[in-house]
Amino acid sequence: MEVRGMRMKNILVSMKVTDAHRDQFAAAANGASLIFSTAPSQEQIDRAQIIVGNVGLESLLRAQNLEMLQLQTAGVGAYEQLCAPGRNVRVCTASGAYGLAISEHMFGLLLGLQKRLFAYRDQQFSGTWKDLGEVPSVSDANVLVVGLGDIGGEFARRCRAFGAHVTGIRRSPGPCPEFCDAVGVQADLDRWLPDADVVFLCVPETRSTIGLMDRTRIFKMKRGAILLNAGRGSAVDTAALVDALKEGYLWGAGLDVTAPEPLPSDHPLWKCPNVIITPHISGGLHLKQTHDRIVRIACENIRACLSGGALTNAVEYERGY
C-alpha cells in the first residue's frame, strides 16, 4: 500500500496514552497503520516498522521489519544494541521531556537534606521534639552540575534562582548559559569538585560515565557537601558513598538512582545517615507535562520517519547516547 507516494508503514505504540494522545498519534501517522498495545505480541512487533515505547529488548532484537524505535526514556541503556553496526534500526530517546519533573524532584531532595526535613520527619514518628542544629542554604552555595543537558539545565536554573553560584559540566565545549557562572567539560571535574557544596549528577550510562564518582572523587568533594544523583546509579561507587556517609564526611546524599538497582532490602545504603533514596521515580509518567512532552517528541519523529526527515534525539552508537 502507498501513502502519498510512500509505502505504508505499520506503527506500534506500546506506551500508556490518553484519548488526546491517540489523536496526536493518528495525525502524525497520516493514514499509516496504527496499533496501540501496552503488551504487544511478537507478531505485532514483527510487523511494525516504527515502534513507540520501551518494548522488551529480546523481542525487538528478533524483529525483522523495525526501522525506528522511539523510547519513552531519556536514556538509551541496553537498547543501543539495536543501532549497532550492521543493524539498520534508528533508536531515539525522549531526551528533553524530563527536565521539569526530575529537576523539581531533585531540588526538593536538596532542600529537604539541607534543612534536615527528613530527619525531623523521622523524629515525628517517634514523638520526638528535638532541635537538630544548624543548616546550610542554597543561597551562596557552590553548585556543580555534572551533565548540563535538559535535566541538568533545569536544575541549574532553580539553584541560580535561589542565589547559588552554578558551574556546569557538559559533554563538549560550548557557550556558558545565563543560569551558570562557568561551564566546562568532564576533564574539569577534578578541578571543581573540592569547591562544590552541592554536586548534582545527571549523566547517561556510557563507557565514560560508569564509575565517574569513584572513591577518590567522592573523598575529593568538600567535607560537608551534598551529592545528588538523578542519572544512572553506575556513575557512583556505592561502597565509597556508604563510607563517606557513615563517616560523616558528606552532609548527605539524595539518590533517585542506585547501583545495584533495585537496591536490595539489606543493602547498607538504606541505613546510612542523612541519605534519601527514591526508587527511580523522579521521571516516568508521574507528571502530566512529561507524558505530553514524550508524545510530542514521538509524533515529531514519526512524521520525520515517514517523510525521510531528520530525527530528534537519534542515538549514535559510537557515543552511547
Side-chain angles (χ1 to χ4, degrees):
M1 297 181 66
E2 301 288 326
V3 177
R4 296 187 180 181
M6 297 181 292
R7 184 182 179 187
M8 171 75 83
K9 293 187 185 294
N10 296 307
I11 302 171
L12 169 63
V13 177
S14 185
M15 62 176 287
K16 177 184 174 183
V17 293
T18 65
D19 289 342
H21 294 154
R22 286 174 180 265
D23 292 341
Q24 290 176 255
F25 278 115
N30 194 27
S33 173
L34 184 62
I35 295 175
F36 294 91
S37 175
T38 55
S41 66
Q42 186 65 49
E43 180 182 359
Q44 290 174 320
I45 294 169
D46 290 340
R47 291 182 63 244
Q49 283 83 30
I50 299 173
I51 295 178
V52 178
N54 291 41
V55 175
L57 179 58
E58 292 302 317
S59 294
L60 293 174
L61 288 170
R62 294 197 300 268
Q64 298 299 311
N65 295 309
L66 184 60
E67 297 175 9
M68 186 194 86
L69 172 67
Q70 171 65 62
L71 298 171
Q72 65 188 68
T73 51
V76 63
Y79 289 99
E80 70 171 347
Q81 297 177 47
L82 294 168
C83 54
R87 292 185 174 272
N88 296 316
V89 179
R90 291 174 290 177
V91 179
C92 302
T93 70
S95 178
Y98 291 94
L100 175 63
I102 297 179
S103 65
E104 288 186 343
H105 182 96
M106 299 307 293
F107 195 73
L109 292 187
L110 172 59
L111 290 177
L113 286 165
Q114 285 189 324
K115 306 308 176 186
R116 304 184 191 269
L117 299 184
F118 304 112
Y120 283 116
R121 174 71 173 187
D122 292 342
Q123 286 192 166
Q124 175 183 328
F125 289 126
S126 62
T128 301
W129 184 284
K130 179 183 178 182
D131 188 326
L132 295 177
E134 296 182 353
V135 297
S137 174
V138 178
S139 180
D140 285 329
N142 291 321
V143 176
L144 178 60
V145 177
V146 184
L148 198 64
D150 171 52
I151 297 167
E154 289 293 333
F155 183 82
R157 287 179 186 275
R158 282 154 180 76
C159 292
R160 186 63 176 268
F162 271 62
H165 308 286
V166 182
T167 301
I169 290 180
R170 54 175 28 135
R171 291 186 290 251
S172 55
C176 184
E178 81 281 357
F179 50 81
C180 286
D181 297 284
V183 169
V185 295
Q186 191 166 311
D188 297 305
L189 179 58
D190 291 322
R191 176 163 62 96
W192 285 332
L193 266 179
D195 294 324
D197 298 294
V198 178
V199 177
F200 175 73
L201 301 176
C202 191
V203 294
E205 184 173 88
T206 67
R207 289 172 284 277
S208 65
T209 61
I210 293 175
L212 181 67
M213 289 299 292
D214 57 15
R215 180 173 295 272
T216 299
R217 286 197 171 117
I218 286 175
F219 283 93
K220 185 175 284 188
M221 291 172 62
K222 178 189 288 188
R223 183 176 288 275
I226 291 174
L227 178 66
L228 303 171
N229 191 9
R232 289 294 180 267
S234 60
V236 177
D237 181 333
T238 305
L241 178 60
V242 167
D243 290 342
L245 291 166
K246 285 186 173 180
E247 294 173 17
Y249 183 83
L250 296 180
W251 176 275
L255 311 172
D256 188 49
V257 291
T258 60
E261 190 175 298
L263 199 63
S265 60
D266 61 348
H267 197 284
L269 190 58
W270 289 116
K271 303 297 184 181
C272 284
N274 217 24
V275 61
I276 297 300
I277 303 168
T278 53
H280 205 152
I281 47 76
S282 62
L285 302 181
H286 299 90
L287 187 67
K288 179 183 181 299
Q289 290 94 321
T290 301
H291 200 173
D292 291 343
R293 290 176 182 182
I294 294 170
V295 171
R296 184 173 67 247
I297 292 169
C299 288
E300 289 173 357
N301 277 336
I302 288 172
R303 291 189 181 92
C305 189
L306 293 175
S307 64
L311 297 173
T312 300
N313 299 335
V315 174
E316 294 183 21
Y317 181 77
E318 293 76 16
R319 295 193 309 177
Y321 54 86

